[in-house]
Amino acid sequence: MPSHLSADRPAAQPPEGSSVDALISQARRLKGDVDAVRRDTQGDGLDPQERWQRALCDLALHQLDDLDEHLAQLRDGPPPVPASPEAAPAVRAVPPAPRRRSLLSRVGSAEWNLLTDEASWSGELYQILGRDPAAPPLTLDELPSLVLDEDRPKLTAMVTDCLVDAKPIDGEFRVLRPDGGVRTVHMMGEPVLDTDGSTASMWAVLRDVSELRRSQRAVSETRDSLQRHRHRAQAEHRLAVELQEAVLPPWRGSLRLPHQGPGTLDLAAHYLPSSTSATIGGDWYDALELADGETLLSVGDLTGHGVAVASGMATLLGAVRGMAMAGTQPGQLMAWLNQLLDATVQPALGSAVCCRYRPDNRTLVWAQAGHPAPLLFRDGTGRRLHAPDGVLLGATSGAVYEQTEETLRPGDLLLLHTDGLVPRHSGAAAVNRLLDLAPRFGEARTAQDCVRLVVEEFGEAEREDDACVLVARVTA
């Protein structure tokens, strides 16, 4: 045997604590050594020992390729999954790492003498095919009887090309064992030519690659499943965005309501999407001039993400607009909104603030359902309005919601927002961060300038949830 892989050469041992990358490098170096040995054994094919060495080298190269692939899978880990359950529900788990026997597959050998019609099988080949070692080996004509019907043409074509055109065999087929098991066999072989150039016999090595192919299929199916879920999540995201854009107020920049008369509100709003989730939440803001000349202001948040939540938000917002247009006061509106959410097929929770602004006396009548109270900024300082009682929407049947009034002055500024506006802060801490903006709000000329300040202060930070802000400034 050539000196590249001498039997006296010590086996390469990875250093203790070596990384998977080091193992991959060693496997590839070994593959280069084996390939060099194979090149040294290229002869006329007449020497049985040389032929057997070359077959073993080919087989070793296949084994090392499989090992390299499995090590790469171990290093890279499973493919990434979408960040949220809505994006990828019920994704098939990545299969466990293959066992050692799937890496070092069982290998057998055979030779068929065409002159004597005799066959010779190794004991390992009997085990691969599940045959009794006492039984005689099958001839080339009998071998297809073990192969699944759909794979027989492939085997016949490989053997015919080898015997007639002296082409090497390199292919796979599936065999049905007597115990009913199906195994995938990789066959490599070459013809042995007689002195007159005719085919005298055919030899082959057969490798059981069933576990390897099963592992590869499982990985491929998992990746395909993840890709399908990813595409579906992208489609759902686009639909949710379109639904949200269709429902939220169409105005951009500043808006004045009511359109005529004194005591109008200078309005601006902004929606801030989550930076960690690809799905749309149920946050909304709204401003609407009502039939009696008053102005509706509302913000809210339906728990969850995705198309179903965006659809539920659209339903709630439509109900708020319809009831407000019909003259329903904020407290009663919240009670009916709670009843609506409690009656839905899919249980959900929501929070909201609903306000009616009367421009003739600059009075704000408002109610809330488990939502942060509006913030009032006046003369360079800010405070949180005292909130009337009100539980989360959908939390309990028959809930009663109080409402309260606040008299506003020219120059006052109201800030309504949903949870998550101030990243990494909630409750009183978030409110204090917003109240700290009071001096800067005092210098702002318009509601749009105030919204821009909020976005500059809190919009660039990574946020875990969607949020929105609505600013209303009372004009003279």
Side-chain angles (χ1 to χ4, degrees), residues 303-372:
T303 56
H305 294 83
V307 175
V309 172
S311 176
M313 177 269 288
T315 300
L316 287 183
L317 183 52
V320 169
R321 290 170 175 171
M323 288 187 287
M325 191 65 74
T328 306
Q329 294 301 304
Q332 183 60 60
L333 188 151
M334 286 296 180
W336 286 345
L337 207 61
N338 177 69
Q339 185 175 345
L340 173 65
L341 198 59
D342 186 55
T344 57
V345 176
Q346 295 292 337
L349 292 175
S351 67
V353 165
C354 181
C355 311
R356 290 181 71 103
Y357 173 70
R358 301 168 182 165
D360 54 351
N361 57 8
R362 299 188 179 89
T363 300
L364 186 77
V365 182
W366 68 284
Q368 63 84 30
H371 198 88

Side-chain angles (χ1 to χ4, degrees), residues 30 59-60 62-67 70 98-107 124 207-212:
L30 182 57
L59 187 61
H62 277 276
Q63 297 276 23
L64 288 169
D65 283 338
D66 293 343
L67 178 61
H70 280 78
R99 296 180 180 177
R100 179 179 178 86
R101 66 174 291 194
S102 67
L103 294 177
L104 301 178
S105 308
R106 183 172 290 169
V107 180
E124 194 71 14
R207 183 166 64 120
D208 185 350
V209 294
S210 305
E211 299 300 328
L212 174 63

Side-chain angles (χ1 to χ4, degrees), residues 433-461:
R433 290 292 303 277
L434 291 168
L435 293 178
D436 288 341
L437 297 177
R440 298 169 66 184
F441 284 160
E443 298 173 357
R445 294 180 300 173
T446 66
Q448 184 63 41
D449 290 339
C450 295
V451 168
R452 191 175 296 113
L453 283 172
V454 173
V455 174
E456 290 175 354
E457 186 72 20
F458 306 116
E460 296 300 323

Side-chain angles (χ1 to χ4, degrees), residues 362-364 366 372-388 404-409 411-417 427-428 430-439 441-442 470 472:
R362 299 188 179 89
T363 300
L364 186 77
W366 68 284
L375 305 182
L376 174 61
F377 296 86
R378 176 182 294 167
D379 299 331
T381 61
R383 64 181 175 89
R384 178 170 52 182
L385 297 184
H386 178 70
T404 189
E405 295 186 6
E406 185 77 26
T407 301
L408 304 180
R409 304 176 188 173
D412 282 356
L413 186 142
L414 280 172
L415 187 149
L416 285 67
H417 68 96
V431 169
N432 290 335
R433 290 292 303 277
L434 291 168
L435 293 178
D436 288 341
L437 297 177
F441 284 160
L470 171 65

Side-chain angles (χ1 to χ4, degrees), residues 20-320:
V20 176
D21 285 328
L23 293 175
I24 291 175
S25 298
Q26 290 182 4
R28 291 175 180 174
R29 283 196 299 270
L30 182 57
K31 190 161 61 173
D33 289 343
V34 174
D35 188 51
V37 172
R38 187 189 186 283
R39 287 195 300 269
D40 284 347
T41 60
Q42 296 292 345
D44 56 13
L46 296 179
D47 184 353
Q49 180 66 22
E50 184 179 86
R51 194 167 66 240
W52 182 245
Q53 286 184 5
R54 187 166 68 251
L56 290 178
C57 287
D58 288 337
L59 187 61
L61 289 174
H62 277 276
Q63 297 276 23
L64 288 169
D65 283 338
D66 293 343
L67 178 61
D68 189 33
E69 179 182 343
H70 280 78
L71 287 173
Q73 291 178 7
L74 178 62
R75 177 193 61 194
D76 299 337
V81 297
S84 65
E86 294 82 6
V91 176
R92 177 179 174 180
V94 176
R99 296 180 180 177
R100 179 179 178 86
R101 66 174 291 194
S102 67
L103 294 177
L104 301 178
S105 308
R106 183 172 290 169
V107 180
S109 63
E111 185 163 1
W112 290 272
N113 191 313
L114 303 182
L115 301 180
T116 63
D117 201 26
E118 295 178 343
S120 175
W121 284 10
S122 69
E124 194 71 14
L125 182 55
Y126 277 95
Q127 295 185 36
I128 292 174
L129 302 181
R131 297 193 47 91
D132 183 359
L138 299 182
T139 66
L140 282 177
D141 291 334
E142 297 170 330
L143 185 62
S145 65
L146 302 180
V147 180
L148 296 185
D149 292 344
E150 53 266 38
D151 288 357
R152 284 177 187 170
K154 185 190 305 183
L155 174 62
T156 301
M158 288 192 301
V159 172
T160 301
D161 289 343
C162 180
L163 300 181
V164 176
D165 299 325
K167 292 182 178 179
I169 291 177
D170 190 350
E172 292 182 8
F173 51 87
R174 290 166 297 168
V175 298
L176 179 62
R177 291 161 50 103
D179 60 7
V182 175
R183 309 301 293 179
T184 301
V185 177
H186 181 221
M187 183 175 183
M188 298 175 58
E190 290 184 0
V192 179
L193 304 181
D194 207 345
T195 53
D196 61 358
S198 62
T199 303
S201 63
M202 189 188 85
W203 61 266
V205 289
L206 297 95
R207 183 166 64 120
D208 185 350
V209 294
S210 305
E211 299 300 328
L212 174 63
R213 297 297 175 253
R214 186 177 296 114
S215 172
Q216 291 173 335
R217 285 195 301 271
V219 171
S220 177
E221 290 169 2
T222 299
R223 287 174 176 163
D224 291 344
S225 176
L226 289 172
Q227 190 67 19
R228 288 193 299 271
H229 284 300
R230 192 173 293 114
H231 288 162
R232 187 177 72 179
Q234 291 170 349
E236 289 182 352
H237 175 72
R238 288 193 298 269
L239 178 59
V241 169
E242 292 172 1
L243 180 60
Q244 183 190 62
E245 291 178 348
V247 172
L248 292 182
W251 46 272
R252 297 292 184 270
S254 295
L255 175 71
R256 285 181 176 267
L257 294 178
H259 295 295
Q260 297 179 350
T264 61
L265 295 178
D266 174 26
L267 297 161
H270 191 80
Y271 183 91
L272 295 94
S274 167
S275 59
T276 60
S277 174
T279 52
I280 293 295
D283 294 63
W284 85 79
Y285 63 85
D286 197 23
L288 180 68
E289 184 174 357
L290 303 176
D292 56 7
E294 297 181 1
T295 296
L296 168 72
L297 303 177
S298 72
V299 296
D301 179 12
L302 191 63
T303 56
H305 294 83
V307 175
V309 172
S311 176
M313 177 269 288
T315 300
L316 287 183
L317 183 52
V320 169

